[in-house]
Amino acid sequence: GKTEAGKRLAAKLDVEFMDTDNHLELYYEKLTGNFLKCREIYTKIGDNAFRRLENDLLSSWSQMSNKVISIGGGTANALEN
């Protein structure tokens, strides 16, 4: 899927690969002290809060360059992302 394609592309371009799902899980754990998978986070906090959390994470990456970033399915639906 998208993760494997992203990893291959990053390797070919010799840049870092970043997966929003993995980083979102770690970000949520940092905020709450509880580790949950993305699906569990989404179920626990709902769509709006999940998208805000996702947007906060992506905003923190806005000054990065030379990265391949794999985004979750709903990420591209938010104009601010």
Side-chain angles (χ1 to χ4, degrees):
K2 67 181 178 5
T3 299
E4 282 307 310
K7 286 179 180 178
R8 286 194 304 273
L9 179 60
K12 184 174 180 123
L13 296 173
D14 195 27
V15 298
E16 184 179 359
F17 172 75
M18 299 175 75
D19 187 314
T20 55
D21 288 352
N22 293 341
H23 285 274
L24 191 66
E25 292 163 356
L26 296 173
Y27 184 53
Y28 182 82
E29 181 179 27
K30 183 179 176 183
L31 292 173
T32 67
N34 297 313
F35 180 83
L36 297 175
K37 300 299 281 178
C38 276
R39 209 173 263 131
E40 296 170 312
I41 297 169
Y42 185 90
T43 299
K44 183 175 180 80
I45 67 175
D47 185 67
N48 289 336
F50 184 85
R51 299 300 168 203
R52 280 194 308 275
L53 190 68
E54 191 174 57
N55 181 258
D56 290 348
L57 176 65
L58 290 171
S59 293
S60 74
W61 294 354
S62 66
Q63 300 302 311
M64 292 182 178
S65 59
N66 299 321
K67 310 275 188 228
V68 172
I69 299 174
S70 173
I71 61 172
T75 307
N77 294 335
L79 293 175
E80 61 273 8
N81 293 335

